[in-house]
Amino acid sequence: MSRAKILVVEDESIVAEDIKQVLKKLGYSVVGTVSEGELAIEFALNERPDVVLMDIVLKGEKTGIEIAKKMLDLNIPVIYLTAYADEITLNKAKQTAPYGFILKPFEEQTLKSTIEMALYKHRMEQKLREKELWFSTTLMSIGDGVIATDIESKIILMNPVAEKFTGWTQEEAYGEPLDKVFNLVNEKGEKISPDIERVFKTGEVMGLLDNTFLVSKQGIMIPVDDSIAPIKDKFMGIIGAVIVFHDIVERKLVERALKESEERYRSLFEESHDAIFITTRSGNFVLVNQSALNLFNYKKDEIIKLNLRDLFVNKEQWDEFKFQMEHSGSVKDFEVELYNKKKGVLYCMLTGSIRKDDEGELHGYQGIIRDITEKKKSDAEKEKIKAQLLQAQKMEAIGVLAGGVAHDFNNILTIIQGNLDLALMRVENYDDPELIRDLKASHEASVRAADLTSQLLLFSRKQPMRFANEDLNQIIEDMLKMLHRLIGEDVSIKTDLAEDLYSARIDRGSIEQLVMNLVVNARDAMPEGGEVTIKTVNSNGDEIPKDKRKYHLYVKLSLSDNGQGIEEDILNDIFNPFFTTKGPGKGTGLGLSVVFGIVQQHNGWIDVNSEPGKGTVFSVYLPVENKGKKSKQKSAKKAVLPKGEGQLVLVIEDEEGVRKFISEVLVKSQYNVIQAKTIEFAEAIIKEQHRDINLILCDVVLPDGIGLKLLENPILQKKPIPMIFCSGYTGTRSRWETIKNRGIPFLQKPFTVEELLAKVNEVL
């Protein structure tokens, strides 16, 4: 242990030296001896002695008592060593809080004991001072407000945080009642007081009520939370109280944010259009939102008793859903079929994840269920429409191809059929029956080829609608050979045609297509073979609803089969475009819709009766405008071909063979002919000879334009010349709608000699 350092302040040098020697003898270290107060202060600052032995009377201007005050400020203990002990001197000395007072002369032991007591007392005070400093620093640095009171609830201490919150300084608040400075109100603004008296009585720590606000001196309200604890002395007696409080604005904000978050979550949970669920690990429902109840048509008390697995149509999908969640933590867009209590099966999309407890163990599942039933139907409908569009495009492409083939083939047939007519006219008086027979056979073949071309045009729907009074029986008989080839050997056709059948105003080509479609439909309904019956009869239309009956008389065409029949629930759909019960690639769904369209165009009516397993009957009613019968007997007399009287006919045709045939027939029938193969050449002829031309017979489609262009020719507009247009094809390019709407005479290729001359004679 180091020796204590002593500074001796004594104005008598001999006494000072004597004291020094005594101190050394006692084991102390003397850092110096000085006789003046100013030197003593300077020495103390440099040497930092542990104790100063101070004489009261010193040399210089300052006394020992005045210097002792300076030493007190330097925290150096002072022991007075003096010969003066009067009352005045003692009272002055007391003011400097000396650590001892020794009168001269002194004994060595007295000196030692006084020094040791001074050193001990100073060390204890130093430790206490350090603790007080630590306590003060802690109190001043703490983030909470601290107020201490005495037993009468008067404030004796406040830290800076308390000053900030209350608006009172320590000096202002000292001695004031607690409830004046620590002004508390509830959420209604009503004043409340901290229950400090209870703390004094019970000695227990108390807390404030919830929603308590501190009103500062400036009137600012701050939400606070606090506690009041008793202050006890060393005998455990209560001598005051300490209030520790803190601002809970941030906590309130957090609580409010949490509450708002919970409300938003609850709102999202309940108002979500998707079904939301929470289940246990086994799948039992714990919580569901209203959308889930609406989706599955359960009440809350019903669904809570169920397991999510109960809703799965395919239980293996539930196992797979669980497996993926447990191994990946979550599953997204898992498509399943789920049961609905009232509506049967729903198509749904599941998104789910696992739930864990505080220990990280699997606790259950949570997720969202989205109803995609309508989307699935919509997607299926889109695919159906896409397939229908593709089919329609295919049909259109085939139709364009068929129409194009028919156009070219009709030109060829016009040449073949026309020249065979001319050949038969030349050899009719020859005595060569074999030649005549061969020519007639070739002519019949050309007629069949023309029929085939007509069927192609029916298929492409490019055949013009030409209504005329027709014998429906004759149309059916003419189609029988083709129909037999169409339906195959395992289906037979039976006819029951009324002998007194009225003629009906119909378009022959469209009715042929109607019959063909109905026969094909009957064939497809009899995959194992069967019988189709075609029947005609006159009808007054009693079977037609009154609001749909427009005529008094109808021709009724019935087509029946003994096939599979049609289910009642789809009868209303069979005439819809693209509706079919056949498998992929086995039907277009257009056949019956075309039939329905043809009937509508004829102002007719169609009805269907069917019984599954027994067959189907289609009944078509076609109106009769004139109550006349068309004879089935062909005239035995040969028709007399009309002759011309030298009229000049301008024939405009780009196909050379057709042009030559037309010209030869007209010349042989006493007409004069001028030929042209383009519009440009024809207009040049018209310009030169328009006064002499009696008739223009023109193909519709020519290499340099449409024949109808001639209608705009200025010369023909001033002096119109009768025209006949002809074509083997009635597509858009041929302007058939214009020809039909304007009533322009028209010849459909291929045409016979008789048809050509009859049309020319009719127009002239």
Side-chain angles (χ1 to χ4, degrees):
M1 183 175 178
S2 60
R3 294 185 299 169
K5 297 185 293 181
I6 308 295
L7 173 63
V8 178
V9 183
E10 174 61 52
D11 62 336
E12 293 290 340
S13 59
I14 296 173
V15 177
E17 184 62 28
D18 184 49
I19 294 171
K20 177 179 178 182
Q21 294 304 319
V22 172
L23 290 172
K24 286 183 178 181
K25 178 182 177 183
L26 294 173
Y28 299 109
S29 172
V30 180
V31 295
T33 59
V34 293
S35 59
E36 293 183 11
E38 298 299 338
L39 290 175
I41 293 172
E42 184 179 347
F43 212 97
L45 287 171
N46 293 328
E47 298 296 333
R48 303 302 300 181
D50 296 314
V51 177
V52 175
L53 292 178
M54 180 74 68
D55 191 4
I56 291 177
V57 178
L58 299 174
K59 292 180 180 180
E61 296 179 357
K62 296 186 182 295
T63 67
I65 292 174
E66 290 175 312
I67 299 304
K69 290 180 180 180
K70 297 289 185 181
M71 294 298 174
L72 184 62
D73 293 337
L74 294 176
N75 194 26
I76 299 173
V78 174
I79 298 173
Y80 286 111
L81 184 59
T82 181
Y84 300 95
D86 58 277
E87 192 69 26
I88 296 174
T89 301
L90 286 175
N91 287 334
K92 289 182 178 180
K94 286 179 183 178
Q95 295 176 6
T96 63
Y99 283 74
F101 198 95
I102 302 173
L103 288 173
K104 298 176 184 178
F106 57 85
E107 294 180 2
E108 291 183 8
Q109 191 60 38
T110 300
L111 179 61
K112 181 177 181 180
S113 61
T114 302
I115 292 173
E116 290 300 320
M117 288 301 295
L119 289 171
Y120 175 77
K121 181 182 178 183
H122 185 261
R123 283 197 299 270
M124 292 303 101
E125 288 178 349
Q126 187 67 25
K127 287 182 179 181
L128 181 59
R129 208 174 285 116
E130 289 174 358
K131 286 183 178 181
E132 288 177 348
L133 180 61
W134 177 87
F135 173 75
S136 176
T137 302
T138 302
L139 188 63
M140 298 302 149
S141 302
I142 194 171
D144 290 346
V146 179
I147 299 176
T149 74
D150 58 19
I151 195 65
E152 295 179 353
S153 302
K154 293 184 178 180
I155 295 174
I156 58 175
L157 182 141
M158 290 176 63
N159 74 342
V161 175
E163 290 180 327
K164 174 184 175 183
F165 287 160
T166 63
W168 291 70
T169 64
Q170 164 77 19
E171 290 75 15
E172 292 173 335
Y174 187 83
E176 295 288 347
L178 176 64
D179 58 359
K180 181 178 180 181
V181 177
F182 195 56
N183 184 16
L184 299 177
V185 297
N186 60 21
E187 58 187 342
K188 296 180 180 179
E190 299 170 343
K191 185 173 179 60
I192 58 177
S193 298
D195 200 358
I196 194 169
E197 293 300 325
R198 184 177 175 185
V199 174
F200 289 153
K201 290 178 181 179
T202 65
E204 296 176 353
V205 177
M206 305 291 295
L208 286 179
L209 297 173
D210 292 337
N211 298 317
T212 298
F213 296 85
L214 170 63
V215 181
S216 72
K217 191 176 182 181
Q218 292 75 27
I220 300 172
M221 291 180 63
I222 304 168
V224 293
D225 190 12
D226 77 347
S227 63
I228 307 174
I231 300 174
K232 299 179 181 180
D233 60 18
K234 62 181 179 179
F235 303 108
M236 300 305 291
I238 297 175
I239 59 174
V242 60
I243 298 93
V244 180
F245 62 96
H246 54 273
D247 176 5
I248 58 171
V249 171
E250 290 189 7
R251 193 184 83 185
K252 287 287 186 181
L253 291 175
V254 171
E255 288 175 351
R256 183 183 300 172
L258 181 60
K259 183 178 179 181
E260 290 175 353
S261 176
E262 289 175 349
E263 289 175 352
R264 284 197 299 271
Y265 170 77
R266 174 61 60 181
S267 177
L268 289 172
F269 181 81
E270 290 298 340
E271 296 178 12
S272 171
H273 293 297
D274 293 329
I276 303 176
F277 66 88
I278 297 176
T279 73
T280 63
R281 184 172 183 176
S282 61
N284 292 326
F285 284 109
V286 175
L287 186 65
V288 295
N289 67 347
Q290 187 60 44
S291 293
L293 300 177
N294 296 340
L295 178 62
F296 298 110
N297 292 118
Y298 283 104
K299 295 179 180 178
K300 184 169 289 188
D301 58 343
E302 292 176 329
I303 203 167
I304 290 297
K305 298 175 183 177
L306 297 178
N307 189 293
L308 180 56
R309 184 178 185 274
D310 298 333
L311 302 181
F312 276 70
V313 175
N314 184 348
K315 307 306 180 188
E316 293 180 357
Q317 285 187 321
W318 163 248
D319 296 334
E320 177 63 22
F321 182 59
K322 278 182 59 180
F323 176 82
Q324 290 192 26
M325 280 196 295
E326 292 177 7
H327 284 74
S328 303
S330 63
V331 179
K332 187 177 181 181
D333 296 339
F334 190 88
E335 191 170 327
V336 296
E337 294 178 12
L338 300 177
Y339 285 119
N340 178 297
K341 182 180 178 182
K342 295 183 178 180
K343 297 182 181 178
V345 176
L346 299 171
Y347 294 96
C348 297
M349 194 76 76
L350 267 66
T351 296
S353 60
I354 60 174
R355 298 172 62 235
K356 293 183 178 181
D357 58 21
D358 295 338
E359 286 72 37
E361 295 296 322
L362 178 60
H363 186 58
Y365 310 102
Q366 61 189 12
I368 296 173
I369 303 173
R370 176 165 296 174
D371 182 8
I372 60 169
T373 304
E374 292 303 319
K375 182 178 182 299
K376 291 282 285 188
K377 290 180 181 178
S378 176
D379 290 345
E381 187 65 25
K382 287 178 182 178
E383 287 299 317
K384 181 180 178 182
I385 292 172
K386 184 178 178 181
Q388 291 172 353
L389 178 61
L390 182 61
Q391 182 66 31
Q393 290 172 336
K394 289 180 181 179
M395 296 291 290
E396 179 67 18
I398 295 173
V400 172
L401 176 63
V405 170
H407 172 262
D408 293 337
F409 198 48
N410 275 334
N411 275 332
I412 297 171
L413 284 176
T414 301
I415 298 169
I416 295 172
Q417 193 170 322
N419 282 289
L420 285 170
D421 281 341
L422 292 174
L424 284 169
M425 291 170 62
R426 289 192 187 101
V427 301
E428 61 181 349
N429 296 322
Y430 281 23
D431 187 18
D432 191 345
E434 291 184 358
L435 176 60
I436 294 173
R437 182 193 64 200
D438 292 344
L439 288 173
K440 286 184 177 180
S442 298
H443 188 273
E444 289 176 0
S446 70
V447 171
R448 288 197 299 273
D451 289 340
L452 177 61
T453 307
S454 178
Q455 294 299 324
L456 283 174
L457 287 172
L458 283 175
F459 181 79
S460 67
R461 305 195 73 181
K462 302 298 183 182
Q463 188 80 332
M465 296 285 282
R466 292 184 291 183
F467 290 95
N469 287 323
E470 296 279 359
D471 183 354
L472 183 59
N473 288 347
Q474 188 62 52
I475 293 174
I476 293 170
E477 289 177 350
D478 291 345
M479 293 182 68
L480 285 177
K481 287 184 180 179
M482 180 193 71
L483 293 175
H484 280 296
R485 291 194 300 270
L486 189 66
I487 63 177
E489 297 179 355
D490 56 347
V491 177
S492 61
I493 299 178
K494 177 184 175 182
T495 59
D496 182 7
L497 308 178
E499 294 184 359
D500 60 345
L501 191 69
Y502 296 128
S503 60
R505 184 168 175 77
I506 57 179
D507 173 67
R508 182 185 182 98
S510 296
I511 297 303
E512 286 175 344
Q513 183 173 7
L514 179 147
V515 173
M516 181 174 66
N517 286 5
L518 289 176
V519 169
V520 169
N521 192 72
R523 177 203 66 187
D524 293 341
M526 301 181 290
E528 304 299 326
E531 183 179 79
V532 176
T533 300
I534 304 175
K535 182 179 180 179
T536 60
V537 66
N538 293 321
S539 171
N540 58 12
D542 287 344
E543 301 92 337
I544 304 173
K546 288 185 179 181
D547 60 330
K548 303 294 183 182
R549 195 187 311 158
K550 301 178 180 179
Y551 298 86
H552 297 293
L553 291 174
Y554 291 86
V555 171
K556 180 181 178 181
L557 167 65
S558 299
L559 193 146
S560 60
D561 63 65
N562 55 359
Q564 300 169 340
I566 304 171
E567 297 291 340
E568 184 177 357
D569 59 342
I570 64 171
L571 269 177
N572 292 331
D573 298 321
I574 60 174
F575 295 116
N576 292 337
F578 300 106
F579 178 82
T580 179
T581 58
K582 302 167 188 174
K586 294 184 179 180
T588 64
L590 293 171
L592 292 180
S593 68
V594 170
V595 168
F596 184 81
I598 292 172
V599 173
Q600 292 288 96
Q601 288 175 318
H602 283 77
N603 291 322
W605 179 258
I606 185 169
D607 191 21
V608 57
N609 289 288
S610 184
E611 188 174 347
K614 292 188 177 181
T616 303
V617 179
F618 284 93
S619 299
V620 177
Y621 297 84
L622 300 171
V624 175
E625 292 186 353
N626 297 311
K627 189 179 176 181
K629 299 181 181 65
K630 190 169 184 178
S631 173
K632 293 173 61 177
Q633 301 295 324
K634 294 182 180 180
S635 175
K637 291 184 178 180
K638 185 177 178 181
V640 178
L641 298 177
K643 299 286 186 179
E645 297 177 354
Q647 294 99 324
L648 181 60
V649 180
L650 172 58
V651 178
I652 310 169
E653 170 64 59
D654 61 314
E655 185 68 40
E656 184 177 2
V658 177
R659 191 171 64 250
K660 286 183 178 180
F661 157 65
I662 294 172
S663 298
E664 185 175 347
V665 170
L666 292 175
V667 169
K668 285 182 179 294
S669 299
Q670 299 177 10
Y671 293 97
N672 294 312
V673 176
I674 306 174
Q675 298 182 30
K677 61 180 180 179
T678 63
I679 295 174
E680 183 181 5
F681 189 25
E683 287 184 327
I685 294 173
I686 291 169
K687 184 177 181 180
E688 295 294 328
Q689 304 184 49
H690 70 278
R691 296 181 184 276
D692 302 323
I693 298 172
N694 301 107
L695 176 69
I696 298 174
L697 198 157
C698 182
D699 193 9
V700 175
V701 181
L702 294 164
D704 58 344
I706 301 300
L708 292 176
K709 183 180 178 182
L710 290 175
L711 297 174
E712 302 171 2
N713 185 285
I715 296 174
L716 295 180
Q717 287 182 341
K718 289 182 179 180
K719 183 190 175 184
I721 297 175
M723 293 186 185
I724 300 172
F725 286 94
C726 60
S727 180
Y729 177 52
T730 54
T732 304
R733 193 178 172 209
S734 67
R735 308 290 172 84
W736 164 245
E737 289 298 322
T738 302
I739 294 172
K740 180 177 68 173
N741 293 336
R742 295 178 62 171
I744 300 171
F746 181 78
L747 265 175
Q748 174 71 44
K749 296 178 182 178
F751 45 79
T752 64
V753 170
E754 183 179 351
E755 290 171 337
L756 171 62
L757 293 176
K759 180 62 71 174
V760 170
N761 183 67
E762 175 189 334
V763 173
L764 287 175

